[in-house]
Amino acid sequence: MARFINLRELAQTTTGWHYQVRAPSNIALIKYWGKKAAQLPCNPSLSMTLAQAYTQSDFDVTRAQKEGELEFLLEGHKKSGFDSKALKLWQLICSKYPELLNYNIRIDTRNTFPHGAGIASSASGMAALALGLLALVGESDLKVISSFARLGSGSACRSLYPNFALWGQSEISAASSDDYACEYPEYHADFSQLRDAIVIVSGEEKSVSSSQGHDLMKTHPYGQRRFEVARQNLKTLSAALKSGDWNSFIEVVEREAFELHSLMMTGTPSYTLMTPATLDFIIRFRKWRDQAQVKAAFTLDAGPNIHVIHAASEAKRVQVWLETLIAEGFSARTLFDHMGAGAYIIAGGESL
Ligand code: PMV
């Protein structure tokens, strides 16, 4: 778990402090799509935390002579546009913890997964940033860290937690809140150690940003109904997770993926994020899955790539089927991931 760095400890060092933060991405099973006010969700969402797909950020902190500054790099380089969200989050955190302005902070960040793979880098990136900055002020309350991560990117608030995370007020858990995510610990052993085979049918950057997508929901003719249905889907999923009901899990997870994409298609403007390859894959996958009785469900993020969420006991069958499909000519790349432990700080030390 996180080791929290104390500014008093830092002040005693002459050259500065270095530490690393690691935060994973997550894939939503019940989708957050539509927001209000300060990045608050219109419906609750539930996600699976990934393990191999993570952001790692190197923090270098030194005492500032004047007002402290933030320098934000991607793999050692400045990338325009990329740092504006980070700067905004830093400013928000500084407004609550002004002592942070006594420090110059340089953050160099990298992702273990490629761009355009259907893995949300804003979720892992903003979770790493919130955790790393708040560690400096000794803030160790995950609810506080999660609520700041949320302000960076909604889905980031779920990336701090292990296994399943729930964000948004819901009757399925008294611990749930719109302000922050919490761990969702009630699930059958059959759903522990879940795997995710990510099938990349297109490596292109997202054609629609999630902000555009969320905006679409403000005037969407099915908007209000969707928020009700998402609540219902969450209840169904939660019951399936508790009882170990794979049939119900598959039904609701796949319906959620299609609801997200249908909303995009029926919005104004209308967006199609699936490609022919996405549908081709889904049709073949469902046929095999149903015939072979595999504990596996597909889901989609706001893009064309597919996540095949499956039981740990099915990992070999899924891998062999995917390899055969690709060997027979289906054009895709695969990444294999699994349920992870959430975000943490890798203990640092005094800079040399
Ligand atoms: O966190 P945002 O604003 O990038 O929105 C994420 C939206 C989805 O990835 C499509 C769904 C979700 O709940 O993660």
Side-chain angles (χ1 to χ4, degrees):
M1 244 348 251
R3 174 186 184 272
F4 291 94
I5 291 151
N6 192 314
L7 279 185
R8 250 175 272 136
E9 206 178 323
L10 172 64
Q12 285 160 13
T13 70
T14 47
T15 48
W17 197 265
H18 172 86
Y19 57 98
Q20 285 180 328
V21 178
R22 218 177 249 195
S25 189
N26 67 76
I27 175 73
L29 303 178
I30 301 294
K31 313 291 183 185
Y32 147 61
W33 203 237
K35 61 181 166 186
K36 53 192 179 194
Q39 210 112 275
L40 294 169
C42 291
N43 65 264
S45 57
L46 191 142
S47 60
M48 166 181 154
T49 300
L50 298 178
Q52 310 282 357
Y54 61 84
T55 293
Q56 183 155 310
S57 297
D58 279 86
F59 281 66
D60 282 291
V61 183
T62 50
R63 205 163 239 296
Q65 301 304 323
K66 302 177 285 184
E67 189 165 284
E69 285 178 359
L70 180 79
E71 190 184 4
F72 204 72
L73 307 173
L74 181 63
E75 293 182 349
H77 302 284
K78 275 199 180 294
K79 196 180 168 215
S80 62
F82 175 70
D83 57 356
S84 62
K85 268 183 151 185
L87 270 173
K88 219 171 115 193
L89 184 57
W90 171 72
Q91 282 160 354
L92 272 170
I93 296 179
C94 287
S95 63
K96 186 164 174 208
Y97 302 94
E99 63 268 40
L100 263 183
L101 288 170
N102 293 330
Y103 299 91
N104 286 323
I105 305 168
R106 182 178 193 270
I107 303 171
D108 192 358
T109 195
R110 71 180 180 87
N111 299 324
T112 56
F113 50 93
H115 261 303
I119 302 173
S121 58
S122 58
S124 53
M126 290 297 140
L129 185 60
L131 179 61
L133 290 175
L134 288 163
L136 272 170
V137 290
E139 181 58 78
S140 58
D141 184 343
L142 278 174
K143 290 178 185 167
V144 175
I145 300 168
S146 175
S147 63
F148 275 109
R150 184 198 93 226
L151 295 170
S153 173
S155 53
C157 73
R158 299 185 307 237
S159 271
L160 295 155
Y161 299 93
N163 307 319
F164 295 111
L166 171 66
W167 170 38
Q169 208 285 318
S170 163
E171 62 195 82
I172 69 161
S173 165
S176 64
S177 166
D178 281 354
D179 293 329
Y180 47 81
C182 58
E183 193 180 346
Y184 185 70
E186 291 174 86
Y187 54 93
H188 191 273
D190 239 35
F191 290 109
S192 55
Q193 316 280 317
L194 280 185
R195 306 295 172 103
D196 181 9
I198 303 156
V199 182
I200 306 169
V201 293
S202 164
E204 276 176 32
E205 293 281 331
K206 273 198 207 177
S207 55
V208 187
S209 71
S210 31
S211 305
Q212 286 170 295
H214 291 295
D215 273 353
L216 212 62
M217 293 305 287
K218 288 184 180 146
T219 53
H220 201 292
Y222 303 131
Q224 289 311 315
R225 185 72 189 120
R226 157 63 193 166
F227 305 140
E228 288 163 27
V229 171
R231 284 179 188 282
Q232 192 52 49
N233 286 347
L234 177 61
K235 272 165 68 180
T236 309
L237 181 68
S238 140
L241 286 175
K242 277 186 203 155
S243 63
D245 184 342
W246 264 95
N247 288 334
S248 172
F249 177 89
I250 289 169
E251 213 172 85
V252 71
V253 165
E254 296 189 351
R255 196 165 65 230
E256 269 292 309
F258 277 154
E259 277 182 29
L260 170 70
H261 281 255
S262 309
L263 289 162
M264 299 293 276
M265 290 194 267
T266 52
T268 310
S270 155
Y271 300 105
T272 44
L273 302 184
M274 285 188 275
T275 63
T278 313
L279 270 178
D280 185 16
F281 178 85
I282 289 172
I283 291 165
R284 291 174 194 235
F285 164 74
R286 279 182 154 175
K287 195 169 167 201
W288 168 71
R289 188 266 319 280
D290 292 345
Q291 270 168 6
Q293 298 274 298
V294 190
K295 291 176 175 173
F298 77 81
T299 189
L300 302 163
D301 204 12
N305 298 317
I306 305 110
H307 291 248
V308 177
I309 312 292
H310 54 286
S313 57
E314 303 282 22
K316 194 77 214 156
R317 280 213 290 175
V318 170
Q319 190 180 343
V320 169
W321 180 75
L322 285 172
E323 280 168 5
T324 311
L325 189 76
I326 291 167
E328 285 171 354
F330 186 84
S331 177
R333 284 191 303 132
T334 47
L335 287 176
F336 293 94
D337 208 336
H338 56 91
M339 228 176 192
Y344 60 96
I345 292 174
I346 303 170
E350 198 174 337
S351 299
L352 297 172

